[in-house]
């Protein structure tokens, strides 16, 4: 049995190579890891790693590897995607390999999507043209690095005001607020909103009767009969602690009292019920 559970020592074992276009975006079933060599752990790994990375990039290949995190853990298959730093692209600033975990065959399933409303110029005139104008007006050459985080800038201004003992921090200009030119397309936005309101929503799918779901349907609750005299005797003799929580809740449910709280709260609620009964 021990040998059956043992999948081998922890590590990454190279199984082979595949063309890069074999890797699909929908195969990302969990966040990937980024790999770089560690010369301190394995001597000579840096030279071998960079040579493999350069060759994989030049041949447009990805590596398929078997990954075992720790001893006796379930092995996973992963794709090793090589990437290289691109000086022209500030977002592509890493050199190494992304380890993308591949799904098992059990993870892949066919989804049944409900029908969605479709734009139809014959049924709703003007929707497609108005949407096209809006998208054309919004699309532009935007560089995210040219905008500062307004929340972070306010924080910096507040720290600066505290350090310089100023009464109030300087105002921060929010560069993310649309400019005056954005107001020109407000008419298009309102036109689309008015048109979308007229779109008929698809009818919700009806669940099929029978099958596995009906078998697991909830059964009708059966009313539980409780004996007030027994509970009163336990309450007077401080014996409610001997009852289990479901028994306490049966009494509270029969008296239309709240069921929330810990066991001590339930006992206190029952004692208050009998004390109120004695007063009345």
């Amino acid at each position: 049995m021990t040998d059956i559970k043992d999948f081998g020592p922890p590590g990454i074992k190279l199984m082979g190579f595949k063309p890069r276009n074999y890797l699909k975006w929908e195969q990302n079933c969990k966040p990937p890891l980024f790999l770089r060599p560690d010369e301190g752990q394995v001597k000579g790994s840096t030279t071998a790693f960079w040579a493999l990375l350069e060759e994989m990039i030049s041949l447009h290949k990805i590596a398929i590897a078997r990954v075992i995190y720790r001893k006796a853990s379930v092995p996973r298959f992963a794709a090793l995607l090589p990437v290289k730093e691109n000086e022209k692209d500030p977002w592509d600033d890493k050199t190494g390999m992304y380890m993308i975990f591949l799904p098992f065959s059990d993870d892949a399933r066919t989804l049944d999507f409900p029908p969605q409303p479709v734009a139809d110029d014959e049924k709703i005139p003007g929707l497609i043209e108005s949407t096209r104008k809006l998208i054309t007006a919004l699309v532009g050459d935007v560089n995210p690095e040219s905008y500062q985080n307004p929340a972070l800038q306010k924080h910096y201004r507040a720290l600066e005001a505290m350090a310089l003992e100023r009464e109030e921090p300087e105002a921060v200009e929010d560069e993310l607020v649309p400019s005056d030119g954005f107001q020109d397309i407000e008419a298009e936005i309102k036109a689309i909103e008015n048109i979308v309101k007229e779109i008929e929503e698809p009818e919700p799918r009806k669940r099929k009767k029978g099958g596995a779901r009906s078998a697991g349907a909830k059964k009708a609750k059966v009313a539980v009969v409780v004996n007030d005299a027994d509970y009163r005797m336990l309450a007077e003799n401080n014996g409610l602690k001997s009852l289990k929580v479901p028994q306490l809740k049966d009494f509270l449910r029969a008296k239309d009292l709240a069921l929330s709280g810990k066991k001590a709260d339930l006992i206190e609620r029952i004692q208050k019920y009998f004390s109120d009964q004695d007063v009345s």
Side-chain angles (χ1 to χ4, degrees):
M1 184 61 69
T2 303
D3 294 338
I4 295 176
K5 293 181 179 179
D6 187 11
F7 295 102
I12 302 174
K13 184 177 181 180
L14 192 62
M15 307 297 293
F17 299 91
K18 288 286 185 181
R20 184 165 181 155
N21 57 6
Y22 273 43
L23 184 63
K24 308 299 181 183
W25 68 268
E26 61 267 18
Q27 293 173 341
N28 281 282
C29 54
K30 62 183 299 184
L33 302 178
F34 192 75
L35 305 181
R36 292 178 64 90
D38 186 358
E39 193 71 22
Q41 295 289 335
V42 181
K43 193 172 183 179
S45 61
T46 303
T47 303
F49 185 88
W50 296 130
L52 178 62
L53 182 139
E54 292 287 350
E55 194 68 17
M56 289 172 61
I57 291 177
S58 63
L59 297 176
H60 302 284
K61 297 285 187 178
I62 60 171
I64 305 299
R66 189 188 68 172
V67 183
I68 299 179
Y69 277 115
R70 57 187 67 86
K71 189 175 181 180
S73 65
V74 178
R76 295 293 303 265
F77 284 98
L80 302 182
L81 177 64
V83 292
K84 194 173 183 180
E85 182 179 359
N86 185 2
E87 297 180 355
K88 297 181 180 179
D89 187 357
W91 298 96
D92 191 4
D93 59 349
K94 293 182 178 180
T95 301
M97 292 189 188
Y98 282 103
M99 185 166 68
I100 302 172
F101 296 94
L102 300 175
F104 292 108
S105 59
D106 304 28
D107 299 329
R109 59 191 184 278
T110 303
L111 301 179
D112 184 17
F113 294 99
Q116 300 294 328
V118 179
D120 188 353
D121 258 355
E122 295 181 0
K123 186 177 180 180
I124 307 174
L127 177 60
I128 296 178
E129 184 60 28
S130 298
T131 306
R132 184 179 290 111
K133 291 181 180 178
L134 177 61
I135 294 175
T136 303
L138 290 175
V139 173
D141 187 12
V142 179
N143 183 7
E145 290 189 341
S146 62
Y147 296 94
Q148 294 180 337
N149 186 344
L152 195 58
Q153 293 302 316
K154 287 182 180 179
H155 176 68
Y156 290 154
R157 297 292 175 85
L159 293 178
E160 182 182 6
M162 292 175 60
L164 300 178
E165 298 182 354
R166 295 176 180 172
E167 294 183 359
E168 294 183 359
E170 296 181 4
V172 176
E173 181 182 357
D174 191 350
E175 299 176 348
L176 299 178
V177 175
S179 59
D180 296 336
F182 187 80
Q183 300 175 357
D184 299 337
I185 62 174
E186 286 186 354
E188 300 297 338
I189 296 177
K190 292 180 180 179
I192 293 176
E193 290 177 349
N194 295 332
I195 294 173
V196 169
K197 290 178 181 178
E198 301 177 6
I199 297 178
E200 297 180 1
E201 293 290 336
E203 296 183 1
R205 292 183 300 170
K206 296 182 180 179
R207 290 184 178 179
K208 296 181 180 179
K209 296 182 179 180
R213 290 194 176 184
S214 62
K218 293 184 179 179
K219 297 180 180 179
K221 293 183 179 180
V222 180
V224 179
V225 179
V226 295
N227 191 332
D228 289 17
D230 295 340
Y231 279 87
R232 177 182 287 275
M233 184 180 297
L234 291 172
E236 292 175 352
N237 297 324
N238 197 22
L240 291 175
K241 295 180 180 179
S242 62
L243 298 180
K244 296 182 178 179
V245 172
Q247 294 174 308
L248 298 173
K249 289 187 175 182
D250 287 342
F251 181 85
L252 295 172
R253 189 179 292 107
K255 304 303 178 183
D256 293 330
L257 298 175
L259 305 177
S260 60
K262 299 180 180 179
K263 184 176 181 179
D265 300 327
L266 304 180
I267 294 174
E268 182 180 356
R269 204 167 293 143
I270 295 175
Q271 291 174 339
K272 185 177 183 302
Y273 170 79
F274 285 118
S275 63
D276 293 343
Q277 290 288 324
D278 295 338
V279 171
S280 59

